[in-house]
Amino acid sequence: MNSIEPLADLQTQHDATEARAGELREQIQHLTATLAKTEARLAVLATTRKVVTELAPAGGEPEPSGTNTAYQAIANAFNKHPDQAFRARELHELLGIPTDEATVDVTRARLGRLLRQGFLTQPGRGRYQKRT
């Protein structure tokens, strides 16, 4: 048996294996870079979720107790006067709440939320009534 043939075969296998190893190294570099980008994106998303959660509590989370009391007072007023439409300022006067603009704006926002939840209807611009 000629010793040159096995050596040539070994060299061919070595060259093919070396080429494959190079391809795998390139894939590892590509995957490592892609993984780094993906992990950075995950970090940004986690931070964004944390900030959004802190700024706007999810609908399933309870409102602070003062807010629940305000919503309850508004709901009670509409329950006592189901056929009457109120403006936010009129509701404040009925409930004995201060009528400064900032406080009325907060109530407008609460009325909008109750409207979106289906508790109230809006028979006219700026007027709210209990849904029957």
Side-chain angles (χ1 to χ4, degrees):
M1 178 174 206
N2 188 354
S3 63
I4 295 179
E5 287 178 26
L7 286 176
D9 187 41
L10 283 175
Q11 186 63 44
T12 302
Q13 289 180 29
H14 178 269
D15 293 345
T17 303
E18 190 173 33
R20 179 68 178 140
E23 291 171 1
L24 292 173
R25 284 187 200 100
E26 288 177 13
Q27 287 180 0
I28 289 171
Q29 288 175 344
H30 172 73
L31 290 173
T32 301
T34 303
L35 177 61
K37 288 178 185 177
T38 303
E39 286 176 338
R41 178 73 176 143
L42 280 173
V44 167
L45 290 171
T47 302
T48 303
R49 182 180 53 210
K50 181 179 178 183
V51 169
V52 169
T53 300
E54 289 174 0
L55 293 177
E61 295 180 13
E63 296 285 334
S65 62
T67 304
N68 281 337
T69 304
Y71 277 107
Q72 191 59 51
I74 292 169
N76 288 341
F78 281 103
N79 286 334
K80 288 180 186 175
H81 307 279
D83 297 330
Q84 187 174 350
F86 292 100
R87 294 190 176 280
R89 192 170 302 280
E90 295 168 347
L91 195 58
H92 273 240
E93 291 168 0
L94 177 71
L95 297 172
I97 301 172
T99 57
D100 61 281
E101 196 60 33
T103 308
V104 173
D105 283 344
V106 170
T107 298
R108 282 189 190 102
R110 289 179 177 142
L111 292 169
R113 183 174 183 194
L114 291 170
L115 178 71
R116 288 187 301 277
Q117 291 176 343
F119 180 75
L120 300 177
T121 62
Q122 199 168 20
R125 186 166 190 249
R127 301 189 65 74
Y128 300 88
Q129 185 175 5
K130 182 176 180 185
R131 183 177 299 274
T132 54

